[in-house]
C-alpha cells in the first residue's frame, strides 16, 4: 500500500503567478510551469536565506524532499530565463499555513496581516 501523501506547507501564494517576455502569448510550447511548492523553496532558500534543512522544517517535509523540489524549481527558472519562456506558477502538492505562525517561522502572522509574500507593504 502506498504511503499517504504529505502536503507541503506554504506560507503564502505569490503576488504574481506569471512572468516572462511580454511579447509572447504563453502557449504551452513557450511556457514553463512551476508549482507553488517549488516557488516556496525558491522564496525560502534564495530570497529568505534559509538552509535546505530550515526550509524543510518550515514546509513540514524531509530535507531530501526539499532538495529535489529546489533542484526542479531552479531548472525551471533557468529554462524560462535562458530560453525566453513564460514562467507560470500554479498547482502542486501544498497547503497554505494557518497564519498563526505555527511552524512558519517568525513574522508569518505579521506578514499575512500587513505584508505580501515578498515582504512588500500592502
Amino acid at each position: 500500500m502506498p504511503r499517504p501523501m504529505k502536503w507541503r506547507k506554504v506560507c503564502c501564494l505569490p503576488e504574481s503567478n506569471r512572468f516572462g517576455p511580454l511579447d509572447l502569448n504563453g502557449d504551452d510550447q513557450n511556457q514553463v510551469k512551476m508549482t507553488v511548492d517549488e516557488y516556496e523553496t525558491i522564496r525560502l532558500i534564495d530570497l529568505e536565506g534559509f538552509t535546505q534543512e530550515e526550509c524543510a522544517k518550515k514546509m513540514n517535509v524531509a530535507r531530501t524532499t526539499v532538495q529535489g523540489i529546489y533542484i526542479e524549481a531552479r531548472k525551471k527558472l533557468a529554462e524560462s530565463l535562458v530560453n525566453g519562456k513564460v514562467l507560470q506558477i500554479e498547482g502542486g502538492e501544498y497547503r497554505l499555513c494557518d497564519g498563526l505562525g505555527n511552524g512558519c517561522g517568525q513574522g508569518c502572522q505579521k506578514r499575512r496581516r500587513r505584508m505580501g509574500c515578498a515582504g512588500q507593504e500592502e
Side-chain angles (χ1 to χ4, degrees):
M1 176 159 36
R3 253 174 88 177
M5 183 175 36
K6 190 172 188 179
W7 295 96
R8 291 111 191 225
K9 191 183 327 182
V10 171
C11 189
C12 55
L13 296 174
E15 296 287 321
S16 300
N17 69 342
R18 188 175 165 94
F19 304 90
L22 300 176
D23 58 345
L24 287 181
N25 61 10
D27 62 16
D28 284 344
Q29 256 185 329
N30 293 315
Q31 192 173 83
V32 177
K33 292 193 179 190
M34 176 181 282
T35 63
V36 174
D37 45 321
E38 289 170 337
Y39 160 83
E40 184 74 347
T41 63
I42 294 292
R43 185 183 76 78
L44 290 172
I45 295 170
D46 292 337
L47 182 64
E48 300 291 336
F50 290 113
T51 65
Q52 288 183 9
E53 186 71 34
E54 293 166 330
C55 177
K57 287 179 185 173
K58 292 189 180 307
M59 293 182 70
N60 198 32
V61 295
R63 186 204 53 80
T64 53
T65 300
V66 163
Q67 183 179 27
I69 295 168
Y70 183 62
I71 288 168
E72 284 303 308
R74 297 208 41 189
K75 283 181 188 176
K76 291 175 181 182
L77 275 176
E79 184 179 354
S80 175
L81 290 171
V82 173
N83 296 326
K85 294 185 176 184
V86 172
L87 179 68
Q88 181 76 35
I89 303 171
E90 62 186 10
E93 300 169 352
Y94 72 95
R95 293 274 190 243
L96 288 174
C97 73
D98 59 16
L100 302 175
N102 295 334
C104 292
Q106 191 173 19
C108 179
Q109 189 174 18
K110 181 172 76 174
R111 176 179 286 125
R112 284 190 173 255
R113 284 193 193 137
R114 294 193 308 242
M115 300 182 142
C117 206
Q120 304 281 334
E121 290 282 340
E122 290 183 338

